[in-house]
Amino acid sequence: MGRAMPSEEVPAAMDAFEQVTRDMRDFAIEVKRLGYSMPAGYENQFLELSDRMIKRTDDLARSHH
């Protein structure tokens, strides 16, 4: 069983989680930009990966609140 966090640790954990989700979203946007800079025919892998990253990050953020 997980142990309960002391009340002062909860805000820090929430801040850390929110920072990680923001970072992941920023990374996904960077991957998307890379995709748009690729020669024709190669961009889809990057765009699809970026979309999956954003969707997963958004899903985690929603489920965490």
Side-chain angles (χ1 to χ4, degrees):
M1 307 276 169
R3 65 180 181 88
M5 295 176 108
S7 60
E8 63 273 0
E9 290 182 26
V10 173
M14 292 293 285
D15 289 343
F17 179 82
E18 289 171 4
Q19 182 62 50
V20 167
T21 57
R22 278 193 299 270
D23 289 347
M24 288 303 299
R25 190 168 239 295
D26 290 346
F27 297 152
I29 292 168
E30 189 173 339
V31 168
K32 187 168 286 222
R33 286 187 188 128
L34 287 171
Y36 284 125
S37 70
M38 297 299 292
Y42 293 98
E43 71 277 6
N44 281 345
Q45 295 169 300
F46 290 95
L47 301 179
E48 289 171 6
L49 174 60
S50 175
D51 288 344
R52 288 194 329 259
M53 291 169 70
I54 290 170
K55 182 182 180 328
R56 182 67 175 131
T57 301
D58 289 348
D59 289 349
L60 282 172
R62 270 193 299 278
S63 70
H64 194 355
H65 284 64

